[in-house]
Amino acid sequence: MSRWHYFFKRLLLTVPVLFLVMTIIFVALRMGPIDPVSAILGPEGTGGDAAALRQQLGLDQPLWRQYIDFMINLITFDLGQSWVIHRGRTVEELVMIFAPRTLWLGFWAILLPLFIGIPLGFYAGLNPNSWGDYVASFGGIVWLAMPNFWLAIMLLTILRRTDGGGFLGFDWYEIGPSVDSLIGTPPLDFIAPGEGSVVLGIGIPIDLGTLAVAIKMTIPPALVLGSASMATELRIGRTAILETINSNYVETAKAKGLPNRLIVWKHVFRNALIPLVPVITNEAFLLIGGSVIVEVIFGINGLGALFFNAAVQGDLPLAGALLFIFTLVIILMNIFQDLLYTILDPRVGYDT
């Protein structure tokens, strides 16, 4: 089976999964405790206003008819409009506004674990039963045990107490670019011509000052969002290194007299990355679910906060459309994960 045949087959298999998820979304939204008509009208709405609005929104139709219309709209990517929090604005327009903030946060939440968790795990695996191994392993277990919402609150408390040079001996507000608050949406308008901008080699002008502020405001929530992945990558990376370094082909390479550096880079690291593939790709799932909590706590107006507000305030089209988008992202990441397996490990076939 060719790679593209396998890819097409996986796409077909996602159709029933997507339909099942869409059905669950419809049931959860329609059977939930929040009445969207009451959310739109508020306490001043009368019974006549509620009946007219219900008819206008199609909520007076039989449930099966609402289900068919809901499925057709999602299949044709007619995601509708916001009913409550951004009334009259299309979902596509809102996604274009809020998605860059979540993508920016997600980029750093993935990058930090990759450059902290995996190197620490590989170091612990290459130096087993050493003090560095004990410290890294213990730190990974403790870090993994801390839930996102608690870690976010603790991190905000600690960083706020550094204002004016607190007990940690530094002022987070004054390190690098100065910021007034730890909570808020990072400025993402750093790609723009203007005074102080630097044109990169590909011709993109970057305002380095605004970029530095955006990075500084993103590091705390990114650390919280990527904390679970960082600890998981550390533990699995350590285990993978220990299993790989004691394998037969590594022993054969040592018997041939190959340098340790070549053995580690060519034989150990690549094979140790294989069990990390699902962990790295599953970070997309973590970012989708965890970004809701982290964005609300840190005041980042991204897709996570948008979904939270839509679900709480009864904005059914917006909440349902965002759940649909999140589901598509997860399904595509699963397919990408399977394809990446075959690239890293040629022993994995498409027929298995």
Side-chain angles (χ1 to χ4, degrees), residues 8 61 105 171 203-204 220 269 328 339-340:
F8 182 71
Q61 299 291 329
L105 173 62
D171 188 346
I204 299 179
F269 279 0
L328 283 179
L339 292 176
L340 194 59

Side-chain angles (χ1 to χ4, degrees), residues 102 105-106 109 147-150 152 220-229 282-300 302-305 307-308 326 330:
T102 298
L105 173 62
N148 278 350
F149 66 89
W150 182 87
L223 278 174
V224 173
L225 187 55
S227 60
S229 294
N282 284 343
E283 288 181 7
F285 314 154
L286 174 69
L287 297 181
I288 290 174
S291 64
V292 177
I293 300 174
V294 173
E295 287 183 11
V296 171
I297 294 177
F298 283 91
I300 300 175
L303 290 180
F307 171 74
F308 175 82
F326 295 160
I330 291 175

Side-chain angles (χ1 to χ4, degrees), residues 60 79 108 113 123 127 182 187 314:
D60 61 333
L79 303 180
W108 289 100
Y123 171 80
N127 301 275
L182 298 172

Side-chain angles (χ1 to χ4, degrees), residues 187-263:
L188 301 182
D189 54 348
F190 51 82
I191 303 180
E195 185 178 354
S197 297
V198 176
V199 179
L200 300 180
I202 56 177
I204 299 179
I206 300 293
D207 187 337
L208 296 181
T210 306
L211 176 61
V213 172
I215 294 175
K216 182 176 180 178
M217 293 185 65
T218 307
I219 286 178
L223 278 174
V224 173
L225 187 55
S227 60
S229 294
M230 188 185 308
T232 303
E233 289 171 3
L234 190 156
R235 296 178 61 195
I236 295 181
R238 177 185 182 277
T239 303
I241 286 291
L242 290 176
E243 291 178 352
T244 305
I245 208 168
N246 294 319
S247 58
N248 293 332
Y249 57 85
V250 173
E251 294 295 333
T252 303
K254 292 179 179 178
K256 290 181 178 179
L258 294 179
N260 287 333
R261 182 183 299 271
L262 180 61
I263 294 174

Side-chain angles (χ1 to χ4, degrees), residues 41-99:
L41 294 177
E44 295 81 10
T46 63
D49 294 337
L53 183 58
R54 192 174 296 276
Q55 181 179 9
Q56 177 185 350
L57 299 177
L59 297 177
D60 61 333
Q61 299 291 329
L63 199 59
W64 64 268
R65 182 65 188 177
Q66 296 183 43
Y67 173 74
I68 293 176
D69 292 340
F70 177 82
M71 298 293 281
I72 291 175
N73 289 337
L74 289 186
I75 293 173
T76 58
F77 287 92
D78 182 8
L79 303 180
Q81 298 180 345
S82 171
W83 285 356
V84 182
I85 58 178
H86 296 281
R87 191 171 182 180
R89 304 187 72 173
T90 64
V91 175
E92 291 86 350
E93 181 183 357
L94 294 175
V95 169
M96 293 299 295
I97 295 174
F98 288 85

Side-chain angles (χ1 to χ4, degrees), residues 278-340:
V279 179
I280 297 173
T281 53
N282 284 343
E283 288 181 7
F285 314 154
L286 174 69
L287 297 181
I288 290 174
S291 64
V292 177
I293 300 174
V294 173
E295 287 183 11
V296 171
I297 294 177
F298 283 91
I300 300 175
N301 292 320
L303 290 180
L306 182 64
F307 171 74
F308 175 82
N309 293 328
V312 170
Q313 300 183 36
D315 201 332
L316 299 188
L318 182 56
L322 291 176
L323 280 175
F324 176 69
I325 293 173
F326 295 160
T327 303
L328 283 179
V329 172
I330 291 175
I331 290 175
L332 292 176
M333 287 301 299
N334 274 327
I335 297 175
F336 174 73
Q337 173 182 308
D338 290 342
L339 292 176
L340 194 59

